[in-house]
Amino acid sequence: MKLSKIFFLLFIILNFFSICHAEKNDQLTIKISKNLRCLTCQGQSIYDSQSDFAVSMKILINKKIEQGLSEKEIYELLKDKYGEWIVYDTNFNRNTFILWGLPVLLFFLGGAIILRKLVFRKV
Amino acid sequence: MLANHIGHYSLVIGLLTSILIFLLSLKSYKSQIIDKRIFSISFLQLFFVLISFLSLVICFVISDFSNETVFNNSHTNKPIFYKISGTWGNHEGSLLLWLLVLTLFLFLFLINSKNELKRYRILTVVFQQVIIIGFFLFVLITSNPFNYLFPIPMEGLGLNPILQDPALAIHPPILYVGYVGSSLIFSATLAAVIENYISKNWAKNIKIWILISWIFLTIGIMVGSIWAYYELGWGGFWFWDPVENVSLMPWICLTALLHCILVLEKRELLKSWTIILSIATFTLSMCGTFLVRSGILNSVHTFANDPSRGIFILCFLFFLIIIALIIFFIFNKDKQKDYKKIYFFSKEVSILVNNWFLMYFLSVVLIGTLYPIFLEVLIDHKISVGPPFYNKLIVPFLIFFLIFMSLGPNLKWIKETNIKNKFQLFIFFFISLIISFIIYKKIGKTNLINTVLIAASFYLFIVTIKDFFSKELYNISKKLSHFGFSMLILSILLNGILSTEAIINLKVGEKFTFKNEQIFFKSLENNQKENYQSVVGYFKVEDDKKNISLFKPELRIYDQPVVITSEADIKTTFFRDRFLVMNTIKGNEYFNVRYQVKPFMIWIWISTLLLAIGGFLSLYNRLYEK
Amino acid sequence: MRNKILIILLVFFLSFCFFVLFKSLESSNIYVPEKKEDRQLAEFVSEDLFTKKKITSNEIFYGSDYYILNIWASWCAPCRKEHPQLMELSKNSSIKLIGLNYKDDPKKAKKFLKNLGNPFSIILVDKSGVLSIEFGGYGIPETFLINKDKKIIRTFIGNLSDDSVRQINSIVK
């Protein structure tokens, strides 16, 4: 019963996807444009936005990829023009180490508190 | 005109009744006898706020442009449905709705808590009235919905077209019920702390309110996501946008509270932690209100904002936090004199682990949302914190969370002596790993973390399905919710890795091939609708098995205000959504067409609904037991 | 004792949060990129509006001490507003004015200049909007003051005011 269910599930999944990779450049453009923030409608990514700026930016990204720039180089180029703000994926640097570190620190702190309550309890 | 005046004055009277109830309940608290008038006056208060709210609705329906709120947010040729929903689609009206729900909840609490401690009930009323008075003042001072305009304008400015949508018409009320429910939990907790009433009995009663706000918050967030999916996003449903995060944070906190309250109910443990979570939930709701309404955030979903409102909510928020902390430190007597043994393999510990992870996720979202604000103030440097940040910090921990979630709920309270079916659990994990590996092999990507993540979510999925077949039939609500959650995570992940899309510029008569499908742009059709002009594109999509489907994405050019929106056409089946949307390109006969295939999309909504239904069943059981 | 330290820390933390959030209310939530001065221009090739010939950046930035690059379009209302200021600047002989016609219909653009006068010595066509991004522009109109080393020395976002004209003239002399 259980096994047949699992096989049924497997069957569905395997049959369902016949996915091959489309043009690689297009996918990379999409990936990069999702990680860039639009300066005209500032809540949206370049990918989501339809503003003039975003449309041009997508063309530019495509062009730069064709010129052989890597993803990282494109980010650097744009950061240089528009500041760090334009990239959603902030790097780990002296401005952001708290941003990256604090949640993880809190996680371990929480773990320590729970352990203390459990293991070192006076009974 | 008349409705405007009635609305304004009933709002003022509502404030006066609030103050009256506040004073009366303080008096009854001293004398220890409940003044019967409190009930009737609370009813009056509810009545006046309702009248005020209805008059605003009337102002909107009859398009009374002498009312500033109506002028700013409505227009005569808007459909009647959106005239009504426009009432709470703006800042002022939504606050009035908020106030209405606040008073309604207090009234319901009063008539539903007859067999609880008198002093506890009265104190809850006192705290709740403090919040209500705060909101009354907020509405009347900074955002009065009944401001009078003279000379009376002939026509209103109109409602933003992307808000003219059925999902968005019901989204705010549902979400507010969730937020406001957390305010009642806050007041009740503070009252219980003062009365030293944090106990099994209290946990039982407060759980009803926790469930109510949790269910509404869940559904509210879901409706918002659905809206974003078909209206705002180009196929995305969650953007990690600050405003979305702000609704997610109370939800995470409330979920933690929902689990933690079980421990309190069964074993009278974790009292202080329950109190902290209750306070935090409401604080986060308020903090969210502050962030959204003050306009600090830079988001897709912005309200019209004004800094003076921000200052008011900020002060009010900190006033409430400080009161809560003072009460907590002075009155909390949870010294746990009776030590209870806690065993490592027990349900209590697994719930603690759940809370531990949830708090971590909460801290990620909270820090991610607030950090840019802090950085800008402190060193004047602007950064963006977006989806990659949340993914990187949440995903690795999610794996462990999912595995714990598969194992934890089946442990017994107090002490689990023998863990059954160890072998079965291993087999399940092994199977999940294989499935996940095969999926990744199939799509030709290899990523260790993602493989393990998918495996973990399959594991949870299988285990929760197995739970349905176990002999113990009680607690079906928990099983359903956990199953819903496992399916939610699974469908989000599979959707994420398997979605494919093509973006192309097409003009009428052109076709292009995407994977095994051919997309043909047949024709365009122009129509004049009630308050917009519609341009419908007809697209024929044909796959290699000659299955033809017709897509009709639409562009709407609204007149008031002039905004162009694109309405996607989505074909939903059980296995996948196909999503087609088009957009104009400036000075060009070409259209920008996006075609996306998104597997398991509908399961995201179904599983969220299951999650909420599980909560609802639990609520039903609670009420029925009573 | 431990409780007291905790309370003091909490109070400190809360007042810090209050201060920061309070401060943040004052600043705008709209992001404007920092104006990075002295940015070297990359080389590019573009098309002339009138002759439709290709020209390289070396040909464009040649023969003058200072250059002004103005991004404009006929559909952009503020561009119409700043046109008198541009006409004013075109009188200054040590500046070469270069127009960047942004996502525009060439006919409409020519008509626009015919009606209001043409302050530019060269007009480049930017149909896709990519060129304006190369300059670091994101809105329209936007004006860059460039020196003979092909470095951007000033950026003006939005329409030029009389004050910005004065600033430019004082830099250029």
Side-chain angles (χ1 to χ4, degrees), chain A residues 47-48 52 85 95 107 121, chain B residues 234 340 371 384 501 594:
Chain A
Y47 170 80
D48 290 317
D52 279 323
W85 184 90
N95 285 331
F107 180 77
R121 267 165 76 93
Chain B
W234 312 98
K340 285 177 182 148
Y371 192 79
S384 300
E501 65 183 313
R594 289 191 193 200

Side-chain angles (χ1 to χ4, degrees), chain A residues 17-29:
Chain A
F17 320 114
S18 51
I19 292 157
C20 51
H21 259 291
E23 302 85 33
K24 258 198 164 151
N25 281 0
D26 277 5
Q27 298 304 319
L28 191 60
T29 310

